[in-house]
């Protein structure tokens, strides 16, 4: 009998429902949980493998942690240090049976601490020192991961290669990662560039493995058994075998790694690409691939020739090189695609470099000196000498300055430090100050050129004494006002409250100055505005992107941090964003002391500061930043400090923080977050937090709003509502900040004397405020007097009057 199609469909649906729901007396089938992936596969068969490519290879194994450093700890107490060592010992046995020569950073539960240095950083540096001393064919650091949240369900395989080495280290990492993923079977499995401390060297192709997360209870249980450790060791073994099977090409130079060249010379260099098998004496390995050869000079591609043998590369400079240090680098691979480690050649001038010395005598007979190398590269330490016996010591820097009590007699010479150093030629120029002008040496050497607040009276100082010079030319009969990043403004002649005592220190008359911050002065800070490119980092109801707010805050914070004396770089200055690995590389190239990501919070009323797990410096910085962010005027805000192990926190060589500022949760919030006054307040919180790192939690911030209220009460002070602009200590603009509503509610307006949010670093306890109204300019000194805080007018007209003393008059300010 043929059923009606509609009835058949209904019957089929009922049958499916009965099957799924267990109705009509038919029980649902039992559910079977799939086993957690990882270490379940069969052991690979190694007996019939051709292990000849490993013969003679020197491999350095680094079982991470040990001794005082336990590493990750599983829910049941299993330590990472123990698992790392177990896997490494099994791997050592496999490699040695294959004919490899194996070294280990440790073979028992010990660390590499010394009596002189018991820090983790020092311990890791000794592991790096072993790599650099042994220079093995491969360096493998064995680890097991965890996650900051201790999420017992999270598991992943991660294999890292040395950041910046997309040649041999990446080749080895690919081979090892492929075998870890295949044999252990955990997904996801990611191959990543790494900047771990043990990878920061170029002595050998280097890989750090994190095959599983010990925080996962099932992984902990399995890794506590020798069979799983054996399986992991076999995966590493197969990866190393695969890597060396592709050959281990190396560049053999025909000249030493340092080559000197004469003036007008076009230096030349030759290399041969040896196959890896030739190193082990096996022969017959993959041949070099000349199409992959590349030569660069100071990072710029160079023309070169390849001999008919296909392995010899010859280079000669196209034009004579300038008399400074150059770096020549060669790269290439074999036909199997295996990259040879990059080989560098340092080219040093054998001729004298030129150093330009400017001598400037003032009206009192003192001689200011400024010297600089012609190529902008460091001169190296040494001593300036004059025939009359005068001497000046020079640091290892491209330029320097000094102030002598009298003009030395005769022509100077420069004697470099070290017997191998080449004596430079000296070109001397005289450029004396006119009549009344005098040289003064600023007590604290600034990092940048001063900003003169009297452009019409700017001293006629020679160009050699401009940017970075701690020397100032003054006219005793003229007032002077100049500012340097990181220093309290210098006023001369200083009004009574700011009178600077003149102290003679050796041969120079010094001007004592005050630092605005101690922690930030001279430090390199990288600010990373989150989002950019295709990532908006949150979007408000009216379309405001979090990435745009982050960038505005970062720009404002950069200006303030520079004003505090820091050196600042941004990972982006526009829409395009760098990859995480490029950000890590940027921080390394900049020599950063601190890395801060500025983003938006996921929850509307939570501001977060995150640092790497176990980082003492990161924890101190995060606590200081959290205290500062807590002063942001946000209704219902909470501030949380947490630990994390995200890529940027783990891989950045310096302390790294992730700061998540208030989210764009509502229309009211969006209208406030889009204001420059708000992003300036976020920037002040960043400045205040970083400047207060390491200070007492009760570290008192300077509150300009309270100072303005104090000034307003003064007979000569302006009415607060009349003030249109405020600058604190010559570096920090001050503006009122609106109150940010919570997840529900409206923001309240604010004035210059209330609701202005985070304050500023307290500095030395005294501050200079510049106030501007429609028709007046004033300068006030705020300082303690033993009974409280007092305000003293230093310059400018009284309340409501124009100021003839305004140094910005007719100067475009």
């Amino acid at each position: 009998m043929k059923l009606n199609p509609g009835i058949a469909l209904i019957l089929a649906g009922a049958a499916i429902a009965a099957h799924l729901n267990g109705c009509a007396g038919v029980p649902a089938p039992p559910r079977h949980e799939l086993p957690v992936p990882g270490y379940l596969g069969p052991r690979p068969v190694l007996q019939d493998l051709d292990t000849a490519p490993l013969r003679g290879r020197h491999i350095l194994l680094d079982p991470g942690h040990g001794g005082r450093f336990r590493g990750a700890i599983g829910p049941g107490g299993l330590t990472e240090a123990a698992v790392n060592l177990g896997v490494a010992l099994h791997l050592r046995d496999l490699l040695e049976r294959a004919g490899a020569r194996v070294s280990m950073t440790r073979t028992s539960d010990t660390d590499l601490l010394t009596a002189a240095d018991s820090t983790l950083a020092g311990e890791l540096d000794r592991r790096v020192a072993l790599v650099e001393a042994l220079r093995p064919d491969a360096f493998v650091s064995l680890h097991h991961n965890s996650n900051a949240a201790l999420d017992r369900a999270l598991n992943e395989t991660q294999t890292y290669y040395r950041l910046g080495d997309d040649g041999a280290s990446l080749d080895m990492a690919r081979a090892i990662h492929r075998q870890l993923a295949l044999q252990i079977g955990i997904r996801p499995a990611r191959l990543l560039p790494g900047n771990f401390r043990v990878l920061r060297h170029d002595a050998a192709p280097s890989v750090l493995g994190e095959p599983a997360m010990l925080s996962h209870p099932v992984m902990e249980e399995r890794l506590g058994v020798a069979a799983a450790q054996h399986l992991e060791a076999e995966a590493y073994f197969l990866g190393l075998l695969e890597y060396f099977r592709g050959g281990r090409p190396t560049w053999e130079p025909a000249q030493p790694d340092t080559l000197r060249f004469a003036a007008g010379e076009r230096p030349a260099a030759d290399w041969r690409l040896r196959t890896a098998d030739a190193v082990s004496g096996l022969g017959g390995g993959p041949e070099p691939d000349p199409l992959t050869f590349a030569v660069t000079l100071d990072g710029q591609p160079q023309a070169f020739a390849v001999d008919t043998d296909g392995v010899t590369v010859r280079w000669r400079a196209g034009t004579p090189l300038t008399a400074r240090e150059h770096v020549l680098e060669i790269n290439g691979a074999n036909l199997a695609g295996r990259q040879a480690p990059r080989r560098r050649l340092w080219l040093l001038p054998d001729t004298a470099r030129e150093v330009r010395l400017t001598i400037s005598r003032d009206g009192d007979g003192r001689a200011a000196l400024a010297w600089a190398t012609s190529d902008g590269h460091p001169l190296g330490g040494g001593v300036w000498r004059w025939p009359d016996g005068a001497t000046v010591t020079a640091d290892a820097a491209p330029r320097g300055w000094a102030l002598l009590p009298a003009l030395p007699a005769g022509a100077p010479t420069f004697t470099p430090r070290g017997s191998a150093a080449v004596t430079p030629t000296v070109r001397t120029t005289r450029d004396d100050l006119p009549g009344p002008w005098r040289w003064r040496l600023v007590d604290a050497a600034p990092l940048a050129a001063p900003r003169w607040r009297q452009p019409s009276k700017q001293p006629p100082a020679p160009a050699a004494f401009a940017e970075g010079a701690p020397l100032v030319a003054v006219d005793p009969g003229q007032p002077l006002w100049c500012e340097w990043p990181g220093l309290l403004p210098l006023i001369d002649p200083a009004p009574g409250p700011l009178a600077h005592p003149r102290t003679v220190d050796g041969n120079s008359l010094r001007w004592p100055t005050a630092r605005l911050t101690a922690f930030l002065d001279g430090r390199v800070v990288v600010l990373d505005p989150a989002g950019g490119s295709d990532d908006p980092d949150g979007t408000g109801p009216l379309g405001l992107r979090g990435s745009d707010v982050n960038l505005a805050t970062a720009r404002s914070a950069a200006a303030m941090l520079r004003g505090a004396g820091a050196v600042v770089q941004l990972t982006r200055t526009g829409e395009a964003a760098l990859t995480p690995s490029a950000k890590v590389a940027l921080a390394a190239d900049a020599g950063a002391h601190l890395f801060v990501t500025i983003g938006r919070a996921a929850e509307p009323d939570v501001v977060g500061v995150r640092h790497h797990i176990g980082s003492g410096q990161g924890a101190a910085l995060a606590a200081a930043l959290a205290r500062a962010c807590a002063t942001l005027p946000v209704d219902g805000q909470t501030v949380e400090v947490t630990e994390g192990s995200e890529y940027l926190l783990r891989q950045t060589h310096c302390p790294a923080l992730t700061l998540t500022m208030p989210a764009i949760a509502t229309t009211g919030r969006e209208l406030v977050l889009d204001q420059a006054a708000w992003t300036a307040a976020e920037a002040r919180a960043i400045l205040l937090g970083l400047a207060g790192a390491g200070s007492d939690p009760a570290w008192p911030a300077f509150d300009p709003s309270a100072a303005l209220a104090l000034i307003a009460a003064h007979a000569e002070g302006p009415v607060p509502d009349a003030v249109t602009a405020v600058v604190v200590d010559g570096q920090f603009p001050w503006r009122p900040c609106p109150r940010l509503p919570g997840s529900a509610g409206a923001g309240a307006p604010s004035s210059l004397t209330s609701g202005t949010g985070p304050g500023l670093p307290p500095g030395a306890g005294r501050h200079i405020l510049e106030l501007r109204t429609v028709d007046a300019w004033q300068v006030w000194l705020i300082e303690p007097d033993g009974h409280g805080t007092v305000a003293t007018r230093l310059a400018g007209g009284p309340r409501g009057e124009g100021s003839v003393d305004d140094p910005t008059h007719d100067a475009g300010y």
Side-chain angles (χ1 to χ4, degrees):
M1 180 179 69
K2 187 174 182 180
L3 290 176
N4 180 287
I7 296 175
L9 182 60
I10 292 171
L11 292 175
I16 293 173
H19 176 74
L20 292 177
N21 297 320
C23 62
V26 181
R31 297 181 60 180
H32 297 287
E33 293 284 342
L34 293 175
V36 176
Y39 301 93
L40 294 176
R43 298 271 297 277
V45 179
L46 306 180
Q47 288 82 355
D48 299 330
L49 287 176
D50 178 11
T51 60
L54 287 167
R55 192 181 310 154
R57 297 295 174 198
H58 185 193
I59 299 171
L60 175 58
L61 301 181
D62 173 41
H65 308 289
R68 274 181 46 189
F69 307 108
R70 313 312 300 153
I73 299 177
L78 181 64
T79 67
E80 181 191 355
V83 179
N84 297 344
L85 181 61
V87 174
L89 292 173
H90 291 314
L91 178 56
R92 179 192 63 181
D93 293 344
L94 292 171
L95 291 169
E96 288 181 341
R97 283 200 293 270
R101 182 163 61 96
V102 181
S103 298
M104 296 182 66
T105 57
R106 66 183 181 98
T107 56
S108 61
D109 187 18
T110 57
D111 51 52
L112 277 68
L113 295 175
T114 65
D117 187 352
S118 60
T119 65
L120 175 59
E123 202 264 1
L124 295 174
D125 286 342
R126 277 179 279 285
R127 295 176 191 251
V128 173
L130 277 174
V131 188
E132 293 175 335
L134 296 175
R135 304 194 76 82
D137 294 309
F139 171 74
V140 181
S141 189
L142 298 96
H143 287 257
H144 293 81
N145 216 336
S146 180
N147 65 87
L150 296 179
D151 183 347
R152 306 310 187 193
L154 186 61
N155 198 25
E156 183 177 5
T157 292
Q158 298 171 349
T159 310
Y160 294 89
Y161 60 94
R162 181 168 62 85
L163 179 70
D165 182 12
D166 53 0
S169 291
L170 177 56
D171 284 346
M172 185 167 72
R174 282 173 175 152
I176 289 175
H177 183 72
R178 188 160 34 245
Q179 291 298 332
L180 289 174
L182 180 65
Q183 304 300 333
I184 296 176
I186 293 173
R187 299 294 183 274
R190 292 192 295 160
L191 179 65
L192 302 163
N195 195 39
F196 295 102
R197 203 175 188 101
V198 293
L199 298 182
R200 295 175 202 161
H201 60 82
D202 59 0
S206 300
V207 167
L208 185 147
E210 306 257 23
M213 288 195 167
L214 203 58
S215 52
H216 194 293
V218 177
M219 294 303 103
E220 179 191 29
E221 179 183 358
R222 292 175 187 169
L223 283 168
V225 179
Q229 295 180 18
H230 273 290
L231 177 62
E232 187 176 310
E234 289 162 350
Y236 275 110
F237 174 81
L238 291 171
L240 286 166
L241 177 60
E242 179 184 333
Y243 169 67
F244 284 111
R245 184 178 289 135
R248 176 70 161 81
T250 56
W251 288 107
E252 182 180 63
Q255 60 284 317
D257 286 339
T258 300
L259 185 66
R260 292 196 173 273
F261 63 93
E265 181 184 355
R266 295 165 52 203
D270 300 344
W271 303 265
R272 286 177 57 86
L273 187 65
R274 294 190 310 187
T275 63
D277 292 335
V279 176
S280 61
L282 297 178
E287 293 295 319
D289 182 2
L291 294 178
T292 64
F293 296 172
V295 178
T296 60
L297 178 68
D298 299 330
Q300 299 302 312
Q302 295 288 295
F304 59 90
V306 180
D307 280 4
T308 55
D309 61 7
V311 299
T312 303
V313 175
R314 303 188 187 277
W315 168 85
R316 188 178 186 190
T319 58
L321 299 184
T322 55
R324 65 173 180 83
E325 179 182 302
H326 299 271
V327 179
L328 192 67
E329 185 175 275
I330 186 166
N331 297 283
N334 62 19
L335 289 174
R338 191 70 75 238
Q339 292 282 335
R342 297 169 181 170
R343 191 78 186 221
R344 290 187 176 92
L345 173 64
W346 281 265
L347 301 169
L348 304 179
D350 201 20
T351 56
R353 298 171 63 194
E354 183 180 85
V355 179
R356 298 164 184 168
L357 174 67
T358 301
I359 302 176
S360 180
R361 186 180 182 183
D362 69 7
D364 289 337
R366 283 184 293 267
L369 311 178
W371 60 87
T373 57
S374 57
D375 55 24
H377 285 250
L379 175 65
V383 179
W384 289 101
R385 301 181 189 277
W386 281 263
D388 65 358
T391 62
V392 172
T393 300
D395 294 329
R399 55 186 179 171
W401 300 270
L403 182 61
L404 300 180
L407 182 67
T413 59
F414 184 81
T415 304
R417 190 178 296 125
S419 57
V422 178
T423 301
T425 58
V426 178
R427 181 159 64 88
T428 305
T429 303
R430 280 286 296 275
D431 195 346
D432 295 343
L433 290 179
W437 293 89
R438 304 290 188 268
W439 284 112
R440 296 291 184 267
L441 186 67
V442 180
D443 189 46
L447 296 174
R451 181 169 65 246
W452 299 96
R453 299 301 297 276
Q454 291 178 316
S456 61
K457 300 172 184 176
Q458 182 170 338
F465 297 90
E467 185 170 349
L471 289 156
V472 178
V474 302
D475 182 348
Q478 298 281 355
L480 172 143
W481 177 306
C482 58
E483 300 159 355
W484 286 275
L487 299 180
L488 200 67
L490 193 61
I491 304 174
D492 192 82
L498 273 183
H500 295 286
R502 303 295 198 263
T503 59
V504 177
D505 178 17
N507 59 12
S508 61
L509 185 61
R510 289 185 177 270
W511 234 339
T513 52
R515 292 286 186 192
L516 297 180
T517 65
F519 180 78
L520 287 173
D521 190 52
R523 291 183 181 261
V524 179
V525 181
V526 174
L527 297 180
D528 173 36
S533 297
D534 296 329
D535 178 13
D537 195 31
T539 304
L542 303 179
L544 178 65
R545 299 182 303 178
S547 57
D548 294 332
V549 182
N550 300 338
L551 182 57
T553 295
R555 286 172 171 163
S556 184
M560 292 186 187
L561 291 169
R562 291 181 183 120
V567 179
V568 185
Q569 273 194 254
L570 273 65
T571 60
R572 67 181 177 96
T573 56
E575 180 65 21
L578 297 177
T579 63
S581 60
K583 294 176 182 179
V584 172
L586 182 150
D589 292 342
H593 299 97
L594 181 60
F595 186 98
V596 182
T597 296
I598 304 168
R600 296 294 113 188
E603 299 179 37
D605 297 326
V606 178
V607 169
V609 189
R610 199 165 173 84
H611 64 89
H612 188 239
I613 300 171
S615 171
Q617 291 184 29
L621 286 162
L625 198 53
R627 290 195 297 271
C629 289
T631 65
L632 284 167
V634 183
D635 293 333
Q637 170 183 264
T638 59
V639 181
E640 297 179 348
V641 176
T642 57
E643 294 183 325
S645 57
E646 294 81 15
Y647 184 83
L648 289 175
L649 297 181
R650 295 187 77 195
Q651 301 302 323
T652 309
H653 73 282
C654 58
L657 304 174
T658 297
L659 173 62
T660 49
M661 287 295 202
I664 316 173
T666 64
T667 301
R669 281 193 161 208
E670 183 170 355
L671 294 175
V672 174
L673 290 174
D674 199 23
Q675 297 180 33
W678 177 262
T679 53
E682 289 190 344
R684 286 202 308 274
I686 293 170
L687 168 67
L688 183 64
L690 299 185
S695 302
D696 188 282
W699 189 62
F702 172 63
D703 182 4
S705 62
L708 288 167
L710 186 65
I711 293 171
H714 198 285
E716 298 177 325
V719 177
D721 291 342
V723 176
T724 58
V726 180
V727 177
V728 180
D729 294 334
Q731 303 294 337
F732 310 122
W734 183 260
R735 66 184 75 186
C737 173
R739 188 163 194 84
L740 188 69
S743 53
S750 61
S751 68
L752 281 169
T753 57
S754 67
T756 48
L760 290 168
R766 52 168 42 182
H767 298 273
I768 295 176
L769 269 67
E770 295 178 67
L771 313 182
R772 184 176 298 283
T773 65
V774 174
D775 59 353
W777 171 87
Q778 292 185 350
V779 179
W780 289 80
L781 173 67
I782 308 296
E783 63 178 347
D785 68 347
H787 303 286
T789 303
V790 295
T792 307
R793 187 170 64 88
L794 301 179
R799 183 198 304 252
E801 296 181 9
S803 171
V804 296
D805 299 323
D806 183 353
T808 66
H809 181 65
D810 292 334
Y813 285 82

